[in-house]
Amino acid sequence: MIPRRENRVGINVILLGPPGAGKGTQASRIAAARGLIHVSTGDILRDGIQAQLPMAMIAKALMDRGALVDDETIIAIVRERLMRADSHRGFVLDGFPRTVAQACALDAIMDERGHGPLIVVNLVVPEPELVRRLAGRRICSKCGTNAVQATASLACGQCGGALVQRADDTEAVVRDRLSVYRRSTKPLVDYYRERPTFRIVNGAQSQDGVANELEILVDDVIVSATASSIETLQY
Ligand code: AP5
């Protein structure tokens, strides 16, 4: 078994992938298993909408039609979160970066804060499966948790809140989100592809299968990072 090295090297994971690829699902699992913070820009925006924050209410109109929120706002949110002391052990970023401008900003943040390399994972899932997953997704109207799909329950297993469809999971908006992904986010694969810490994972297997692959590849990158210069591995 490969020894865990979390205490020596910060584990900083980015999950790239289209809407419905399983970024949120897997980010929660890695973060919980390794004691990392899970930073979901989508969840932060939805929490802000729930709390009726002015910034989030502007974002809501964009989110509801599947468009991206402006880079400046999103970068400021992530920067503030990654500069807090509780992120130094590592983080899992889910839904960020989504544009090349956001990826450049993240590199600058990593230069400033240090604490280990970026592990960049691209979750690949065929488009018909993405559409199927998002059409069937139900979330809790109170706590935002994804419902377990196998249950026919109408209530959230965590808090009992009513299960609803996300406003941007209607078929038309999903099509728009996929097209925004192809235009603005997919180019990030080329941005990161040459880095020694870039990996591709088949996201079209069971959730446990994806989680196992991620577990192995994170250990693999951490072992490489401790065997060579962390600074060299960062880019
Ligand atoms: P965000 O909330 O980030 O949405 P997304 O990227 O479109 O991703 P999803 O949450 O839809 O999917 P996911 O990949 O997390 O999949 P999940 O695990 O939930 O962003 C929403 C909006 O906020 C954006 O459109 C934009 O407006 C704005 N925004 C956010 N970040 C931004 C940024 N950086 N810049 C600008 N704007 C930003 O899984 C989906 C479903 O599939 C679930 O039901 C799940 O149970 C199921 N599932 C998961 N894995 C599997 C599996 N292996 N097999 C079968 N089913 C599975």
Side-chain angles (χ1 to χ4, degrees):
M1 186 171 166
I2 300 166
R4 293 258 174 97
R5 310 301 287 264
E6 288 93 329
N7 293 334
R8 298 187 197 175
V9 179
I11 300 179
N12 308 310
V13 182
I14 306 177
L15 294 181
L16 298 178
K23 303 181 296 296
T25 303
Q26 296 299 333
S28 314
R29 289 180 69 148
I30 309 173
R34 305 220 176 216
L36 312 175
I37 61 161
H38 172 190
V39 181
S40 159
T41 42
D43 286 349
I44 292 170
L45 292 168
R46 281 184 288 276
D47 288 348
I49 292 168
Q50 194 92 311
Q52 304 208 328
L53 302 181
M55 167 282 290
M57 298 320 284
I58 295 168
K60 182 179 187 311
L62 294 163
M63 293 169 75
D64 283 353
R65 60 184 163 87
L68 294 184
V69 176
D70 67 282
D71 286 335
E72 201 185 339
T73 300
I74 295 288
I75 290 165
I77 289 172
V78 172
R79 187 173 196 292
E80 188 280 325
R81 188 66 193 91
L82 297 190
M83 285 301 177
R84 289 194 223 159
D86 67 349
S87 79
H88 292 172
R89 186 181 161 87
F91 56 76
V92 189
L93 275 177
D94 146 24
F96 181 95
R98 246 178 161 100
T99 62
V100 170
Q102 292 179 15
C104 293
L106 180 59
D107 283 341
I109 293 169
M110 295 305 291
D111 274 348
E112 196 178 332
R113 74 190 276 287
H115 304 291
L118 275 179
I119 302 171
V120 184
V121 178
N122 188 33
L123 282 177
V124 179
V125 177
E127 204 162 302
E129 170 65 6
L130 298 172
V131 172
R132 189 194 67 76
R133 286 183 189 178
L134 295 177
R137 171 166 60 187
R138 294 296 178 270
I139 63 161
C140 175
S141 54
K142 271 195 193 161
C143 70
T145 309
N146 276 351
V148 178
Q149 295 197 316
T151 64
S153 167
L154 296 175
C156 171
Q158 311 275 335
C159 74
L163 298 183
V164 294
Q165 185 174 44
R166 232 169 77 172
D168 58 352
D169 274 350
T170 60
E171 193 182 330
V173 179
V174 166
R175 296 277 170 210
D176 288 344
R177 286 161 65 200
L178 288 169
S179 124
V180 169
Y181 166 77
R182 284 191 290 270
R183 195 170 58 246
S184 303
T185 308
K186 210 171 176 189
L188 287 183
V189 174
D190 289 328
Y191 182 87
Y192 287 116
R193 192 187 297 280
E194 299 304 321
R195 297 191 186 186
T197 55
F198 175 80
R199 300 286 188 280
I200 295 173
V201 168
N202 171 16
Q205 47 185 323
S206 70
Q207 294 187 13
D208 286 347
V210 178
N212 288 341
E213 253 189 66
L214 284 170
E215 174 88 357
I216 291 167
L217 83 78
V218 168
D219 278 335
D220 177 50
V221 174
I222 296 305
V223 168
S224 307
T226 48
S228 56
S229 159
I230 295 166
E231 300 311 319
T232 315
L233 270 175
Q234 200 155 332
Y235 294 105

PDB file of all heavy atoms in Angstrom, residues 193-226:
ATOM      1  N   ARG A 193      -2.769  20.199 -20.239  1.00  0.00           N
ATOM      2  CA  ARG A 193      -2.402  18.864 -20.725  1.00  0.00           C
ATOM      3  C   ARG A 193      -0.927  18.496 -20.562  1.00  0.00           C
ATOM      4  O   ARG A 193      -0.585  17.358 -20.250  1.00  0.00           O
ATOM      5  CB  ARG A 193      -2.770  18.754 -22.209  1.00  0.00           C
ATOM      6  CG  ARG A 193      -2.723  17.354 -22.768  1.00  0.00           C
ATOM      7  CD  ARG A 193      -2.932  17.355 -24.269  1.00  0.00           C
ATOM      8  NE  ARG A 193      -4.226  17.836 -24.697  1.00  0.00           N
ATOM      9  CZ  ARG A 193      -5.332  17.097 -24.680  1.00  0.00           C
ATOM     10  NH1 ARG A 193      -5.305  15.858 -24.243  1.00  0.00           N
ATOM     11  NH2 ARG A 193      -6.468  17.611 -25.096  1.00  0.00           N
ATOM     12  N   GLU A 194      -0.034  19.448 -20.757  1.00  0.00           N
ATOM     13  CA  GLU A 194       1.399  19.146 -20.729  1.00  0.00           C
ATOM     14  C   GLU A 194       1.981  19.066 -19.318  1.00  0.00           C
ATOM     15  O   GLU A 194       3.138  18.708 -19.140  1.00  0.00           O
ATOM     16  CB  GLU A 194       2.186  20.196 -21.531  1.00  0.00           C
ATOM     17  CG  GLU A 194       1.810  20.268 -23.016  1.00  0.00           C
ATOM     18  CD  GLU A 194       1.951  18.915 -23.714  1.00  0.00           C
ATOM     19  OE1 GLU A 194       2.923  18.194 -23.400  1.00  0.00           O
ATOM     20  OE2 GLU A 194       1.085  18.577 -24.535  1.00  0.00           O
ATOM     21  N   ARG A 195       1.201  19.381 -18.330  1.00  0.00           N
ATOM     22  CA  ARG A 195       1.751  19.355 -16.958  1.00  0.00           C
ATOM     23  C   ARG A 195       1.890  17.916 -16.456  1.00  0.00           C
ATOM     24  O   ARG A 195       1.030  17.072 -16.747  1.00  0.00           O
ATOM     25  CB  ARG A 195       0.844  20.136 -16.001  1.00  0.00           C
ATOM     26  CG  ARG A 195       0.770  21.601 -16.371  1.00  0.00           C
ATOM     27  CD  ARG A 195       0.097  22.414 -15.296  1.00  0.00           C
ATOM     28  NE  ARG A 195      -0.070  23.782 -15.763  1.00  0.00           N
ATOM     29  CZ  ARG A 195      -0.516  24.782 -15.015  1.00  0.00           C
ATOM     30  NH1 ARG A 195      -0.848  24.562 -13.763  1.00  0.00           N
ATOM     31  NH2 ARG A 195      -0.621  25.994 -15.513  1.00  0.00           N
ATOM     32  N   PRO A 196       2.938  17.650 -15.678  1.00  0.00           N
ATOM     33  CA  PRO A 196       3.123  16.274 -15.196  1.00  0.00           C
ATOM     34  C   PRO A 196       2.038  15.825 -14.216  1.00  0.00           C
ATOM     35  O   PRO A 196       1.920  14.629 -13.936  1.00  0.00           O
ATOM     36  CB  PRO A 196       4.492  16.320 -14.506  1.00  0.00           C
ATOM     37  CG  PRO A 196       4.768  17.748 -14.255  1.00  0.00           C
ATOM     38  CD  PRO A 196       4.018  18.555 -15.265  1.00  0.00           C
ATOM     39  N   THR A 197       1.251  16.740 -13.724  1.00  0.00           N
ATOM     40  CA  THR A 197       0.206  16.394 -12.752  1.00  0.00           C
ATOM     41  C   THR A 197      -1.186  16.368 -13.384  1.00  0.00           C
ATOM     42  O   THR A 197      -2.193  16.367 -12.663  1.00  0.00           O
ATOM     43  CB  THR A 197       0.210  17.411 -11.592  1.00  0.00           C
ATOM     44  OG1 THR A 197       0.078  18.721 -12.163  1.00  0.00           O
ATOM     45  CG2 THR A 197       1.488  17.336 -10.784  1.00  0.00           C
ATOM     46  N   PHE A 198      -1.250  16.343 -14.714  1.00  0.00           N
ATOM     47  CA  PHE A 198      -2.547  16.271 -15.411  1.00  0.00           C
ATOM     48  C   PHE A 198      -2.931  14.810 -15.639  1.00  0.00           C
ATOM     49  O   PHE A 198      -2.105  13.998 -16.061  1.00  0.00           O
ATOM     50  CB  PHE A 198      -2.444  17.000 -16.763  1.00  0.00           C
ATOM     51  CG  PHE A 198      -3.680  16.882 -17.612  1.00  0.00           C
ATOM     52  CD1 PHE A 198      -4.785  17.683 -17.379  1.00  0.00           C
ATOM     53  CD2 PHE A 198      -3.749  15.943 -18.642  1.00  0.00           C
ATOM     54  CE1 PHE A 198      -5.932  17.566 -18.158  1.00  0.00           C
ATOM     55  CE2 PHE A 198      -4.883  15.820 -19.421  1.00  0.00           C
ATOM     56  CZ  PHE A 198      -5.987  16.636 -19.170  1.00  0.00           C
ATOM     57  N   ARG A 199      -4.179  14.465 -15.340  1.00  0.00           N
ATOM     58  CA  ARG A 199      -4.657  13.092 -15.543  1.00  0.00           C
ATOM     59  C   ARG A 199      -6.064  13.107 -16.130  1.00  0.00           C
ATOM     60  O   ARG A 199      -6.838  14.035 -15.890  1.00  0.00           O
ATOM     61  CB  ARG A 199      -4.732  12.321 -14.210  1.00  0.00           C
ATOM     62  CG  ARG A 199      -3.414  12.186 -13.448  1.00  0.00           C
ATOM     63  CD  ARG A 199      -2.487  11.168 -14.097  1.00  0.00           C
ATOM     64  NE  ARG A 199      -1.321  10.898 -13.283  1.00  0.00           N
ATOM     65  CZ  ARG A 199      -0.232  11.664 -13.197  1.00  0.00           C
ATOM     66  NH1 ARG A 199      -0.165  12.801 -13.884  1.00  0.00           N
ATOM     67  NH2 ARG A 199       0.790  11.327 -12.427  1.00  0.00           N
ATOM     68  N   ILE A 200      -6.375  12.025 -16.878  1.00  0.00           N
ATOM     69  CA  ILE A 200      -7.727  11.865 -17.420  1.00  0.00           C
ATOM     70  C   ILE A 200      -8.364  10.663 -16.722  1.00  0.00           C
ATOM     71  O   ILE A 200      -7.723   9.622 -16.566  1.00  0.00           O
ATOM     72  CB  ILE A 200      -7.667  11.620 -18.945  1.00  0.00           C
ATOM     73  CG1 ILE A 200      -7.115  12.871 -19.639  1.00  0.00           C
ATOM     74  CG2 ILE A 200      -9.055  11.275 -19.503  1.00  0.00           C
ATOM     75  CD1 ILE A 200      -6.860  12.707 -21.116  1.00  0.00           C
ATOM     76  N   VAL A 201      -9.631  10.811 -16.314  1.00  0.00           N
ATOM     77  CA  VAL A 201     -10.336   9.706 -15.654  1.00  0.00           C
ATOM     78  C   VAL A 201     -11.653   9.456 -16.378  1.00  0.00           C
ATOM     79  O   VAL A 201     -12.367  10.404 -16.734  1.00  0.00           O
ATOM     80  CB  VAL A 201     -10.586  10.042 -14.161  1.00  0.00           C
ATOM     81  CG1 VAL A 201     -11.563   9.065 -13.528  1.00  0.00           C
ATOM     82  CG2 VAL A 201      -9.268  10.033 -13.392  1.00  0.00           C
ATOM     83  N   ASN A 202     -11.973   8.186 -16.581  1.00  0.00           N
ATOM     84  CA  ASN A 202     -13.248   7.808 -17.176  1.00  0.00           C
ATOM     85  C   ASN A 202     -14.349   8.007 -16.129  1.00  0.00           C
ATOM     86  O   ASN A 202     -14.462   7.232 -15.181  1.00  0.00           O
ATOM     87  CB  ASN A 202     -13.172   6.340 -17.621  1.00  0.00           C
ATOM     88  CG  ASN A 202     -14.526   5.812 -18.050  1.00  0.00           C
ATOM     89  OD1 ASN A 202     -15.458   6.585 -18.307  1.00  0.00           O
ATOM     90  ND2 ASN A 202     -14.639   4.495 -18.138  1.00  0.00           N
ATOM     91  N   GLY A 203     -15.172   9.045 -16.352  1.00  0.00           N
ATOM     92  CA  GLY A 203     -16.236   9.350 -15.395  1.00  0.00           C
ATOM     93  C   GLY A 203     -17.514   8.594 -15.671  1.00  0.00           C
ATOM     94  O   GLY A 203     -18.508   8.776 -14.969  1.00  0.00           O
ATOM     95  N   ALA A 204     -17.483   7.732 -16.698  1.00  0.00           N
ATOM     96  CA  ALA A 204     -18.713   7.016 -17.090  1.00  0.00           C
ATOM     97  C   ALA A 204     -18.798   5.636 -16.449  1.00  0.00           C
ATOM     98  O   ALA A 204     -19.510   4.775 -16.938  1.00  0.00           O
ATOM     99  CB  ALA A 204     -18.787   6.913 -18.603  1.00  0.00           C
ATOM    100  N   GLN A 205     -18.056   5.430 -15.381  1.00  0.00           N
ATOM    101  CA  GLN A 205     -18.168   4.173 -14.632  1.00  0.00           C
ATOM    102  C   GLN A 205     -18.936   4.456 -13.331  1.00  0.00           C
ATOM    103  O   GLN A 205     -19.402   5.580 -13.135  1.00  0.00           O
ATOM    104  CB  GLN A 205     -16.775   3.602 -14.359  1.00  0.00           C
ATOM    105  CG  GLN A 205     -15.793   4.609 -13.824  1.00  0.00           C
ATOM    106  CD  GLN A 205     -14.376   4.074 -13.670  1.00  0.00           C
ATOM    107  OE1 GLN A 205     -14.184   2.926 -13.314  1.00  0.00           O
ATOM    108  NE2 GLN A 205     -13.388   4.909 -13.915  1.00  0.00           N
ATOM    109  N   SER A 206     -19.054   3.449 -12.489  1.00  0.00           N
ATOM    110  CA  SER A 206     -19.807   3.661 -11.243  1.00  0.00           C
ATOM    111  C   SER A 206     -19.106   4.736 -10.395  1.00  0.00           C
ATOM    112  O   SER A 206     -17.908   4.992 -10.558  1.00  0.00           O
ATOM    113  CB  SER A 206     -19.855   2.353 -10.444  1.00  0.00           C
ATOM    114  OG  SER A 206     -18.555   2.076  -9.945  1.00  0.00           O
ATOM    115  N   GLN A 207     -19.872   5.313  -9.467  1.00  0.00           N
ATOM    116  CA  GLN A 207     -19.270   6.338  -8.601  1.00  0.00           C
ATOM    117  C   GLN A 207     -18.099   5.765  -7.812  1.00  0.00           C
ATOM    118  O   GLN A 207     -17.072   6.420  -7.637  1.00  0.00           O
ATOM    119  CB  GLN A 207     -20.330   6.914  -7.650  1.00  0.00           C
ATOM    120  CG  GLN A 207     -21.408   7.680  -8.402  1.00  0.00           C
ATOM    121  CD  GLN A 207     -22.376   8.399  -7.480  1.00  0.00           C
ATOM    122  OE1 GLN A 207     -22.136   8.539  -6.283  1.00  0.00           O
ATOM    123  NE2 GLN A 207     -23.476   8.871  -8.024  1.00  0.00           N
ATOM    124  N   ASP A 208     -18.225   4.518  -7.347  1.00  0.00           N
ATOM    125  CA  ASP A 208     -17.116   3.889  -6.615  1.00  0.00           C
ATOM    126  C   ASP A 208     -15.913   3.677  -7.532  1.00  0.00           C
ATOM    127  O   ASP A 208     -14.762   3.846  -7.115  1.00  0.00           O
ATOM    128  CB  ASP A 208     -17.551   2.532  -6.032  1.00  0.00           C
ATOM    129  CG  ASP A 208     -18.459   2.701  -4.825  1.00  0.00           C
ATOM    130  OD1 ASP A 208     -18.555   3.827  -4.293  1.00  0.00           O
ATOM    131  OD2 ASP A 208     -19.093   1.702  -4.425  1.00  0.00           O
ATOM    132  N   GLY A 209     -16.181   3.290  -8.774  1.00  0.00           N
ATOM    133  CA  GLY A 209     -15.086   3.068  -9.735  1.00  0.00           C
ATOM    134  C   GLY A 209     -14.305   4.351  -9.968  1.00  0.00           C
ATOM    135  O   GLY A 209     -13.063   4.351  -9.970  1.00  0.00           O
ATOM    136  N   VAL A 210     -15.018   5.462 -10.149  1.00  0.00           N
ATOM    137  CA  VAL A 210     -14.340   6.756 -10.358  1.00  0.00           C
ATOM    138  C   VAL A 210     -13.545   7.114  -9.095  1.00  0.00           C
ATOM    139  O   VAL A 210     -12.377   7.519  -9.172  1.00  0.00           O
ATOM    140  CB  VAL A 210     -15.365   7.878 -10.673  1.00  0.00           C
ATOM    141  CG1 VAL A 210     -14.660   9.215 -10.844  1.00  0.00           C
ATOM    142  CG2 VAL A 210     -16.181   7.542 -11.922  1.00  0.00           C
ATOM    143  N   ALA A 211     -14.172   6.927  -7.938  1.00  0.00           N
ATOM    144  CA  ALA A 211     -13.506   7.286  -6.674  1.00  0.00           C
ATOM    145  C   ALA A 211     -12.224   6.477  -6.481  1.00  0.00           C
ATOM    146  O   ALA A 211     -11.200   7.014  -6.051  1.00  0.00           O
ATOM    147  CB  ALA A 211     -14.459   7.071  -5.500  1.00  0.00           C
ATOM    148  N   ASN A 212     -12.255   5.193  -6.832  1.00  0.00           N
ATOM    149  CA  ASN A 212     -11.052   4.357  -6.680  1.00  0.00           C
ATOM    150  C   ASN A 212      -9.929   4.851  -7.591  1.00  0.00           C
ATOM    151  O   ASN A 212      -8.773   4.933  -7.184  1.00  0.00           O
ATOM    152  CB  ASN A 212     -11.357   2.890  -7.013  1.00  0.00           C
ATOM    153  CG  ASN A 212     -12.208   2.253  -5.935  1.00  0.00           C
ATOM    154  OD1 ASN A 212     -12.270   2.753  -4.810  1.00  0.00           O
ATOM    155  ND2 ASN A 212     -12.891   1.162  -6.283  1.00  0.00           N
ATOM    156  N   GLU A 213     -10.294   5.188  -8.853  1.00  0.00           N
ATOM    157  CA  GLU A 213      -9.262   5.689  -9.777  1.00  0.00           C
ATOM    158  C   GLU A 213      -8.651   6.979  -9.256  1.00  0.00           C
ATOM    159  O   GLU A 213      -7.437   7.200  -9.333  1.00  0.00           O
ATOM    160  CB  GLU A 213      -9.869   5.953 -11.158  1.00  0.00           C
ATOM    161  CG  GLU A 213      -9.460   4.924 -12.183  1.00  0.00           C
ATOM    162  CD  GLU A 213      -9.873   5.296 -13.601  1.00  0.00           C
ATOM    163  OE1 GLU A 213      -9.353   6.285 -14.140  1.00  0.00           O
ATOM    164  OE2 GLU A 213     -10.718   4.576 -14.161  1.00  0.00           O
ATOM    165  N   LEU A 214      -9.513   7.851  -8.724  1.00  0.00           N
ATOM    166  CA  LEU A 214      -9.023   9.134  -8.215  1.00  0.00           C
ATOM    167  C   LEU A 214      -8.094   8.922  -7.024  1.00  0.00           C
ATOM    168  O   LEU A 214      -7.055   9.575  -6.900  1.00  0.00           O
ATOM    169  CB  LEU A 214     -10.205  10.020  -7.806  1.00  0.00           C
ATOM    170  CG  LEU A 214     -10.963  10.653  -8.976  1.00  0.00           C
ATOM    171  CD1 LEU A 214     -12.257  11.296  -8.490  1.00  0.00           C
ATOM    172  CD2 LEU A 214     -10.107  11.703  -9.665  1.00  0.00           C
ATOM    173  N   GLU A 215      -8.479   7.993  -6.170  1.00  0.00           N
ATOM    174  CA  GLU A 215      -7.674   7.694  -4.976  1.00  0.00           C
ATOM    175  C   GLU A 215      -6.260   7.282  -5.390  1.00  0.00           C
ATOM    176  O   GLU A 215      -5.265   7.768  -4.867  1.00  0.00           O
ATOM    177  CB  GLU A 215      -8.380   6.555  -4.219  1.00  0.00           C
ATOM    178  CG  GLU A 215      -7.656   5.997  -3.043  1.00  0.00           C
ATOM    179  CD  GLU A 215      -7.967   6.772  -1.764  1.00  0.00           C
ATOM    180  OE1 GLU A 215      -8.695   7.765  -1.811  1.00  0.00           O
ATOM    181  OE2 GLU A 215      -7.439   6.367  -0.737  1.00  0.00           O
ATOM    182  N   ILE A 216      -6.200   6.396  -6.374  1.00  0.00           N
ATOM    183  CA  ILE A 216      -4.898   5.873  -6.811  1.00  0.00           C
ATOM    184  C   ILE A 216      -4.066   6.970  -7.469  1.00  0.00           C
ATOM    185  O   ILE A 216      -2.881   7.132  -7.198  1.00  0.00           O
ATOM    186  CB  ILE A 216      -5.111   4.682  -7.777  1.00  0.00           C
ATOM    187  CG1 ILE A 216      -5.678   3.494  -6.994  1.00  0.00           C
ATOM    188  CG2 ILE A 216      -3.808   4.291  -8.481  1.00  0.00           C
ATOM    189  CD1 ILE A 216      -6.227   2.364  -7.860  1.00  0.00           C
ATOM    190  N   LEU A 217      -4.715   7.771  -8.318  1.00  0.00           N
ATOM    191  CA  LEU A 217      -3.923   8.776  -9.037  1.00  0.00           C
ATOM    192  C   LEU A 217      -3.444   9.893  -8.112  1.00  0.00           C
ATOM    193  O   LEU A 217      -2.334  10.413  -8.288  1.00  0.00           O
ATOM    194  CB  LEU A 217      -4.675   9.296 -10.267  1.00  0.00           C
ATOM    195  CG  LEU A 217      -5.715  10.400 -10.187  1.00  0.00           C
ATOM    196  CD1 LEU A 217      -5.111  11.771 -10.068  1.00  0.00           C
ATOM    197  CD2 LEU A 217      -6.585  10.324 -11.408  1.00  0.00           C
ATOM    198  N   VAL A 218      -4.241  10.246  -7.097  1.00  0.00           N
ATOM    199  CA  VAL A 218      -3.788  11.278  -6.157  1.00  0.00           C
ATOM    200  C   VAL A 218      -2.564  10.765  -5.399  1.00  0.00           C
ATOM    201  O   VAL A 218      -1.546  11.455  -5.278  1.00  0.00           O
ATOM    202  CB  VAL A 218      -4.930  11.691  -5.186  1.00  0.00           C
ATOM    203  CG1 VAL A 218      -4.382  12.525  -4.029  1.00  0.00           C
ATOM    204  CG2 VAL A 218      -6.013  12.484  -5.930  1.00  0.00           C
ATOM    205  N   ASP A 219      -2.602   9.526  -4.938  1.00  0.00           N
ATOM    206  CA  ASP A 219      -1.440   8.948  -4.259  1.00  0.00           C
ATOM    207  C   ASP A 219      -0.223   8.957  -5.184  1.00  0.00           C
ATOM    208  O   ASP A 219       0.890   9.288  -4.771  1.00  0.00           O
ATOM    209  CB  ASP A 219      -1.730   7.511  -3.816  1.00  0.00           C
ATOM    210  CG  ASP A 219      -2.505   7.466  -2.502  1.00  0.00           C
ATOM    211  OD1 ASP A 219      -2.407   8.427  -1.720  1.00  0.00           O
ATOM    212  OD2 ASP A 219      -3.219   6.469  -2.271  1.00  0.00           O
ATOM    213  N   ASP A 220      -0.456   8.600  -6.446  1.00  0.00           N
ATOM    214  CA  ASP A 220       0.630   8.527  -7.423  1.00  0.00           C
ATOM    215  C   ASP A 220       1.291   9.906  -7.595  1.00  0.00           C
ATOM    216  O   ASP A 220       2.522  10.030  -7.569  1.00  0.00           O
ATOM    217  CB  ASP A 220       0.026   8.029  -8.747  1.00  0.00           C
ATOM    218  CG  ASP A 220       1.044   7.994  -9.856  1.00  0.00           C
ATOM    219  OD1 ASP A 220       2.112   7.424  -9.619  1.00  0.00           O
ATOM    220  OD2 ASP A 220       0.775   8.558 -10.939  1.00  0.00           O
ATOM    221  N   VAL A 221       0.478  10.945  -7.727  1.00  0.00           N
ATOM    222  CA  VAL A 221       1.047  12.282  -7.926  1.00  0.00           C
ATOM    223  C   VAL A 221       1.777  12.739  -6.668  1.00  0.00           C
ATOM    224  O   VAL A 221       2.854  13.330  -6.741  1.00  0.00           O
ATOM    225  CB  VAL A 221      -0.051  13.308  -8.327  1.00  0.00           C
ATOM    226  CG1 VAL A 221       0.530  14.719  -8.373  1.00  0.00           C
ATOM    227  CG2 VAL A 221      -0.662  12.949  -9.664  1.00  0.00           C
ATOM    228  N   ILE A 222       1.223  12.417  -5.497  1.00  0.00           N
ATOM    229  CA  ILE A 222       1.860  12.854  -4.254  1.00  0.00           C
ATOM    230  C   ILE A 222       3.215  12.165  -4.072  1.00  0.00           C
ATOM    231  O   ILE A 222       4.204  12.779  -3.671  1.00  0.00           O
ATOM    232  CB  ILE A 222       0.953  12.571  -3.029  1.00  0.00           C
ATOM    233  CG1 ILE A 222      -0.328  13.393  -3.141  1.00  0.00           C
ATOM    234  CG2 ILE A 222       1.653  12.875  -1.715  1.00  0.00           C
ATOM    235  CD1 ILE A 222      -0.130  14.875  -3.299  1.00  0.00           C
ATOM    236  N   VAL A 223       3.267  10.884  -4.420  1.00  0.00           N
ATOM    237  CA  VAL A 223       4.547  10.167  -4.324  1.00  0.00           C
ATOM    238  C   VAL A 223       5.564  10.809  -5.268  1.00  0.00           C
ATOM    239  O   VAL A 223       6.712  11.066  -4.903  1.00  0.00           O
ATOM    240  CB  VAL A 223       4.356   8.666  -4.629  1.00  0.00           C
ATOM    241  CG1 VAL A 223       5.698   7.977  -4.834  1.00  0.00           C
ATOM    242  CG2 VAL A 223       3.602   8.002  -3.486  1.00  0.00           C
ATOM    243  N   SER A 224       5.136  11.122  -6.507  1.00  0.00           N
ATOM    244  CA  SER A 224       6.048  11.776  -7.457  1.00  0.00           C
ATOM    245  C   SER A 224       6.479  13.132  -6.932  1.00  0.00           C
ATOM    246  O   SER A 224       7.634  13.528  -7.069  1.00  0.00           O
ATOM    247  CB  SER A 224       5.366  12.006  -8.815  1.00  0.00           C
ATOM    248  OG  SER A 224       4.836  10.819  -9.291  1.00  0.00           O
ATOM    249  N   ALA A 225       5.530  13.850  -6.306  1.00  0.00           N
ATOM    250  CA  ALA A 225       5.845  15.194  -5.833  1.00  0.00           C
ATOM    251  C   ALA A 225       6.865  15.159  -4.706  1.00  0.00           C
ATOM    252  O   ALA A 225       7.717  16.033  -4.611  1.00  0.00           O
ATOM    253  CB  ALA A 225       4.569  15.893  -5.356  1.00  0.00           C
ATOM    254  N   THR A 226       6.786  14.131  -3.855  1.00  0.00           N
ATOM    255  CA  THR A 226       7.744  14.064  -2.759  1.00  0.00           C
ATOM    256  C   THR A 226       9.092  13.534  -3.247  1.00  0.00           C
ATOM    257  O   THR A 226      10.123  13.834  -2.667  1.00  0.00           O
ATOM    258  CB  THR A 226       7.222  13.184  -1.614  1.00  0.00           C
ATOM    259  OG1 THR A 226       6.730  11.969  -2.159  1.00  0.00           O
ATOM    260  CG2 THR A 226       6.103  13.850  -0.859  1.00  0.00           C
TER     261      THR A 226
END
